[in-house]
Amino acid sequence: MFISMLVFQLSGALLLLLNCIKSGKESVIKNCFPGSNVVERDENNNCKIPKEKLQESAHKIYLNIVAFVDLVIGYLFAAFSPTADVQIELVLAKVIVATVILLVLEYYFSYFCAKRIYAKDISVPFDELEGVDTTVTKQEIEDLFKNI
C-alpha cells in the first residue's frame, strides 16, 4: 500500500512537472495577457511585450516548476523514510524550519532567473499571439482615410 501511494503521488507530480516545462517561452508570453488581452502593434505588425510583464509571468511559471520538482523529490525521499518511532514535535519543528528556508531560497532563485532570462522587452509578431486582441495602428487609420 505504501508503494502504491508513492507511485501515484510521484506519477502525478511528474505529469504536472512535464506539463509546466514543455510550454516554455510560449507560456511566458501567453501569461502576459490575462484579463484584457489587448496589445498594441507597430507598423510591422509586431507587439512589444515589456520586460516587467515577461519577468512576472516567468517568475510564476518557474515557481510552479520548482514546486513540482519539490514534490517529486519529497516523494522519492518518502521511500527512504524511517519506520521507527521518533519525537513527532522535533520532526515537525525541523520540517517547518527547513520548509521556510527552502521556500525563501526557491522564491528568490526563480525571481532571479526570470530577471536574467527576460532582461529586455521582446517583440513578437501579432500573428503568433493566440487569444489576444489589438487596437488599430496609426498607419491603418491613415490608410483608411486615404481611401475615402
Side-chain angles (χ1 to χ4, degrees):
M1 195 59 141
F2 180 71
I3 292 173
S4 297
M5 174 190 72
L6 290 177
V7 167
F8 281 107
Q9 290 174 341
L10 187 57
S11 296
L14 284 171
L15 285 172
L16 291 170
L17 176 62
L18 291 173
N19 193 36
C20 267
I21 291 174
K22 74 176 182 177
S23 38
K25 185 177 179 180
E26 295 83 24
S27 288
V28 171
I29 292 171
K30 185 176 181 180
N31 288 334
C32 287
F33 303 107
S36 69
N37 294 337
V38 176
V39 66
E40 290 184 30
R41 293 176 290 138
D42 62 13
E43 301 80 34
N44 299 323
N45 208 30
N46 290 325
C47 304
K48 182 179 177 184
I49 304 173
K51 66 180 180 182
E52 293 81 14
K53 276 189 166 187
L54 291 164
Q55 292 169 355
E56 181 182 335
S57 175
H59 184 220
K60 290 176 185 177
I61 289 172
Y62 296 162
L63 280 177
N64 284 336
I65 290 170
V66 170
F68 294 130
V69 169
D70 286 349
L71 285 172
V72 169
I73 292 171
Y75 295 143
L76 291 174
F77 282 162
F80 301 102
S81 65
T83 56
D85 292 333
V86 292
Q87 290 182 330
I88 300 298
E89 296 82 14
L90 183 59
V91 171
L92 181 61
K94 287 180 180 180
V95 167
I96 290 171
V97 169
T99 300
V100 169
I101 291 169
L102 187 61
L103 285 174
V104 169
L105 289 174
E106 291 173 343
Y107 179 85
Y108 286 107
F109 177 72
S110 63
Y111 182 77
F112 173 77
C113 288
K115 287 275 194 186
R116 289 278 292 197
I117 294 171
Y118 296 97
K120 297 179 182 177
D121 300 343
I122 63 171
S123 185
V124 179
F126 178 71
D127 300 337
E128 293 180 12
L129 298 175
E130 294 180 18
V132 178
D133 294 324
T134 186
T135 57
V136 180
T137 65
K138 292 178 185 178
Q139 185 62 42
E140 289 173 337
I141 292 173
E142 289 174 9
D143 291 345
L144 182 66
F145 284 112
K146 285 180 187 177
N147 294 331
I148 296 180

